[in-house]
DNA sequence: TTGTACGCGTTATCAT
DNA sequence: ATGATAACGCGTACAA
C-alpha cells in the first residue's frame, strides 16, 4: 500500500523498466522521449508518488527554481499586495518564492540577502536603491540576478518601478494649485530609504518651482505607523504658524493624520488639507477619502516577476520598466482656508 | 581581487590546510574542533567569501533549513501580519520561509503544498483545517511536519489557533445582549473554509441559546472584499424586515459594511449595529470604530513558528496551542432601535 | 531514442 | 581532533 521510504529516480526507473536518464528526460525534456515510454514512466511516477529530490536536482542542475525577495515588511499593505502578485506570477512559472524582511534596516537587509543567496536563490527582488556599498558589492560578486522594485534604479540596475520624485512633485503641485502656501510634510524615515527621501525631494522641487522656499518645508520624519502620524500632526499644528496642508509620505501616515486631525477637532479639508501616497484600501474608506498618488502595486509585482524570470533565463528584455502613477482626488485636499491665505 | 568561480568546501580546505571534513565540522559543529584550527578555517572562509552550496548541503544532510507556508492570500492583513511574525521567528533560527498562496482554493492549495514539499521544505504551515482528504493523505504519506494555524485542529493535528466558533458565539451574545433580535450575517465563503463556517456556527449557537431561531439567521456569503460587503448589506436592508444588527465574518467585511451603511444614509449604531472579526488596523480608524473580536495575529505567527521548529527538531512540545481572543468594543455596536425591538 | 557512467558539493562514517 | 572516503539523488555528456 504505502512505502516507507521516499521513492527516488532509481525506483521509478526500475518500475517503468527504463534507465534513470530516461526518467529524468521525461520530467525535464518530455519532447526527447517517445510518447510510449513517456506514458509508462509517468504512470510509474504517479504510482509511486514520486517527487524529485530538491537537493539532488539543485546540485546537478545548478538551479533551484527559487527566487528570493527582501522587503521591508509584509505588514505594509503595499508590499503585501505587490508580493502577492509577484508570488502568483512565479508560481505560474513553477518557481518558488523565499521571503525575508529587513524591517527597514540596512544591516538586516544585507544579512537576509546573504542568507537567500546562500540558500541558492536563482535571483532576488529588492525594494528601492538605497543600500550600503558593501551589500551592492556582495550582489555583484556573485553575479546574482537582481531586480529592484518600487523605485527607479541606476543605469546599471534592472528595475521595475516608478519615479517617486516626480510623483511627489505632482501631488505637491496640486496642493499648491489649491492655494496652499504653508505646507508641511509627514515623511517616513529617510535613512537608507530612497523612496521616502525622493518624495521629500519631489515636494521641495514643486515648492521651488512655485517660487516658494524649499528650505521652509517643515518635515516630520516618523516610522510608518498610524499613531506616529498623529504625534507628528500635533507637533506640526502646535507651531505658531501651522500648515494649511500636510503632504504625507504614504497612506498609512495620511490616514493616521486624518484621524488625528478629526480628534483634534479640525475639519478636513476645510481647516486642514491632507494628502497621501500609495492608494491602499483604507484611503478610500476614511472620511473624507484621502487624496493620494495611485501606485499599481499588483501590476508592479507581476512585471517584477517577469523581469526577474527573464533575467535568470538570460533572455533579452527591458532592463528598465517604468510604472505610471496617477493622482486620485477623494476630498481630503481642498482650497486653503481664506484666513490663512491672507496670513501674515 | 575577485575569483570568478564560486569557492567550494574543497577550496577552503586547501587554503586552510585541512581536510574538507574539518571545514564542514567547523561550520556545523564548531565544538568538535580545536579553537586553533577553527580560527584558521574561519579566516580562510572569510578570505574566499565562501558560502556553502545549498544543493550539496541539502543532499547530504537531508535538511533544507527551509519551511513553507501556504496561506489564502497576503493581501488579507491578518495573514500578512501573522506571516511577518512567523518569518521573523524563523529567521531568528536561521530558517528560511517559502511562501505560497491558495487564493482560498483547495486545488491550488494542494498544488502549492506539493510544490513546497517537493522543494524540500522541512515543514509546512497551513491555515485552517478544511481540506480534501487527498491533500491530507499526501501530507501523511510523506510525514511532513505540519502545523495548522488560525483554527483549532483535530486531535491528530498540531495547531496554534483559536476557537472560531466560541469567539463568534461570544460576540453574537454581546449583540443579543444589546437587545437585537433581527440579526443577519455577512460571511466569507464557507466552502473549504472552516473559519468562516465556524463563525456562522458560533452565531447560530448564540441565537439558539438565547431562544432565538438559528435557522432564521440570514447569511449573505461573499468574498472577503470591501465592495462585496456593501452589496450584501444592500441586499439585507432591502428585506421587508431588515436586520437591526449585522455580524460580519471579518473586519474587511465589517468596515465595508459600515461604509456602505453610511452611504445608504444609515447611522451606525443608531439605525444599524455592525460587528467585525480580527481587529485589523482599519477597525480602529473607521467612524464609528468597529466593535470586533481581537485576534493576536502576530503572537499566533510567533507561536506557530516555534511549534513548527520544535516539531521538525522532534522535540516534545504542546501539540495544541490555543490562542485567546477578546472582544473590543468601539462603538459600531449599540442598543437595538426601539421601534424594531417592538417589532411589527 | 535510450542507456552508461560520471560529477555536482556536502555531510557522515569510519579509521587514525 | 582530524582525515579519507563513501553516500546523497539527479542531470547530462557520451556512447550505443
Amino acid at each position: 500500500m504505502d512505502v516507507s521510504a521516499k521513492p527516488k529516480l532509481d525506483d521509478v526507473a526500475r518500475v517503468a523498466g527504463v534507465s534513470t536518464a530516461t526518467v529524468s528526460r521525461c520530467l525535464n525534456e518530455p519532447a526527447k522521449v517517445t510518447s510510449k515510454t513517456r506514458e509508462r514512466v509517468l504512470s510509474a511516477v504517479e504510482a509511486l508518488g514520486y517527487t524529485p529530490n530538491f537537493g539532488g536536482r539543485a546540485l546537478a542542475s545548478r538551479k533551484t527554481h527559487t527566487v528570493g525577495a527582501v522587503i521591508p515588511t509584509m505588514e505594509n499593505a503595499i508590499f503585501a499586495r505587490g508580493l502577492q502578485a509577484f508570488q502568483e506570477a512565479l508560481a505560474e512559472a513553477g518557481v518558488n518564492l523565499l521571503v525575508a524582511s529587513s524591517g527597514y534596516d540596512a544591516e538586516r537587509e544585507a544579512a537576509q540577502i546573504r542568507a537567500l543567496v546562500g540558500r541558492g536563490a536563482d535571483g532576488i527582488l529588492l525594494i528601492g536603491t538605497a543600500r550600503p556599498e558593501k551589500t551592492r558589492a556582495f550582489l555583484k560578486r556573485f553575479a546574482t540576478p537582481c531586480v529592484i522594485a518600487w523605485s527607479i534604479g541606476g543605469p546599471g540596475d534592472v528595475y521595475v518601478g516608478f519615479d517617486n520624485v516626480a510623483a511627489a512633485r505632482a501631488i505637491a503641485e496640486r496642493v499648491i494649485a489649491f492655494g496652499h502656501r504653508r505646507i508641511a510634510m509627514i515623511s517616513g524615515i529617510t535613512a537608507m530609504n530612497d523612496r521616502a527621501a525622493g518624495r521629500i525631494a519631489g515636494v521641495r522641487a514643486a515648492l521651488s518651482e512655485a517660487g516658494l522656499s524649499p528650505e521652509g518645508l517643515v518635515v516630520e520624519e516618523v516610522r510608518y505607523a498610524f499613531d506616529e502620524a498623529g504625534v507628528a500632526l500635533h507637533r506640526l499644528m502646535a507651531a505658531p504658524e501651522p500648515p494649511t496642508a500636510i503632504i504625507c509620505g504614504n497612506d498609512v501616515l495620511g490616514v493616521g493624520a486624518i484621524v488625528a486631525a478629526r480628534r483634534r477637532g479640525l475639519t478636513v479639508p476645510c481647516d486642514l488639507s491632507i494628502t497621501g501616497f500609495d492608494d491602499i484600501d483604507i484611503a478610500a474608506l476614511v472620511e473624507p477619502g484621502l487624496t493620494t498618488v495611485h501606485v499599481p502595486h499588483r501590476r508592479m509585482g507581476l512585471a517584477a516577476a517577469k523581469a526577474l524570470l527573464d533575467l535568470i533565463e538570460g533572455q533579452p528584455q527591458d532592463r528598465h520598466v517604468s510604472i505610471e502613477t496617477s493622482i486620485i482626488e477623494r476630498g481630503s485636499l481642498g482650497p486653503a482656508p481664506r484666513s490663512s491665505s491672507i496670513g501674515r
Side-chain angles (χ1 to χ4, degrees), chain A:
Chain A
M1 198 64 85
D2 55 20
V3 275
S4 51
K6 240 175 188 167
K8 344 188 318 181
L9 200 63
D10 210 37
D11 302 321
V12 178
R14 194 173 314 119
V15 170
V18 297
S19 74
T20 62
T22 302
V23 178
S24 177
R25 275 188 288 259
C26 262
L27 270 38
N28 300 315
E29 311 161 290
K32 300 183 99 178
V33 128
T34 327
S35 60
K36 201 170 167 179
T37 56
R38 185 183 346 167
E39 210 172 295
R40 221 156 24 122
V41 170
L42 291 181
S43 70
V45 166
E46 188 69 28
L48 293 174
Y50 168 74
T51 322
N53 174 286
F54 177 74
R57 184 190 279 249
L59 189 52
S61 70
R62 314 183 133 278
K63 278 217 162 258
T64 59
H65 299 284
T66 298
V67 307
V70 185
I71 59 169
T73 169
M74 285 177 260
E75 292 205 48
N76 187 328
I78 67 169
F79 297 125
R81 170 165 288 198
L83 205 62
Q84 174 65 35
F86 185 70
Q87 189 270 323
E88 288 172 14
L90 293 179
E92 200 80 22
V95 171
N96 289 111
L97 172 64
L98 281 165
V99 311
S101 58
S102 68
Y104 294 99
D105 178 77
E107 272 313 317
R108 272 180 58 190
E109 189 196 42
Q112 301 289 357
I113 291 174
R114 277 195 302 273
L116 294 186
V117 172
R119 288 283 194 267
D122 291 335
I124 256 188
L125 177 76
L126 297 178
I127 308 302
T129 59
R131 52 184 53 84
E133 181 50 36
K134 203 172 164 185
T135 305
R136 221 186 301 274
F138 177 86
L139 288 167
K140 205 133 279 171
R141 187 179 184 314
F142 290 107
T144 311
C146 176
V147 168
I148 286 168
W150 267 272
S151 280
I152 299 294
D157 299 323
V158 175
Y159 63 80
V160 177
F162 58 94
D163 189 332
N164 283 276
V165 177
R169 178 173 177 155
I171 199 162
E173 282 168 358
R174 198 73 124 246
V175 170
I176 294 168
F178 267 99
H180 295 277
R181 291 301 173 265
R182 294 211 305 271
I183 299 171
M185 207 173 158
I186 302 179
S187 164
I189 308 291
T190 53
M192 285 291 140
N193 184 333
D194 56 291
R195 287 97 58 214
R199 292 172 195 180
I200 295 179
V203 172
R204 287 227 161 89
L207 290 174
S208 180
E209 193 186 47
L212 302 171
S213 156
E215 298 81 22
L217 180 72
V218 179
V219 178
E220 284 285 338
E221 206 170 291
V222 299
R223 283 187 303 107
Y224 283 135
F226 295 104
D227 302 346
E228 297 276 315
V231 175
L233 181 132
H234 293 317
R235 271 201 298 264
L236 289 172
M237 299 312 286
E241 287 197 331
T244 63
I246 299 180
I247 296 175
C248 296
N250 73 7
D251 282 358
V252 172
L253 297 177
V255 170
I258 285 181
V259 171
R262 185 167 60 216
R263 291 191 181 145
R264 211 173 200 275
L266 296 170
T267 304
V268 177
C270 302
D271 301 326
L272 176 67
S273 281
I274 292 174
T275 66
F277 201 115
D278 282 340
D279 195 21
I280 59 181
D281 288 330
I282 45 175
L285 295 171
V286 283
E287 190 60 37
L290 181 63
T291 291
T292 191
V293 175
H294 173 74
V295 179
H297 298 288
R298 270 195 63 89
R299 205 194 314 156
M300 187 158 51
L302 292 174
K306 184 180 176 339
L308 186 50
L309 291 173
D310 285 353
L311 189 58
I312 291 171
E313 297 296 334
Q315 287 176 19
Q317 51 157 348
D318 295 333
R319 296 176 58 86
H320 301 338
V321 178
S322 279
I323 302 283
E324 287 303 310
T325 61
S326 56
I327 292 178
I328 309 281
E329 308 236 17
R330 290 219 179 81
S332 68
L333 169 60
R338 199 147 172 288
S339 63
S340 61
S341 70
I342 293 175
R344 78 167 182 93

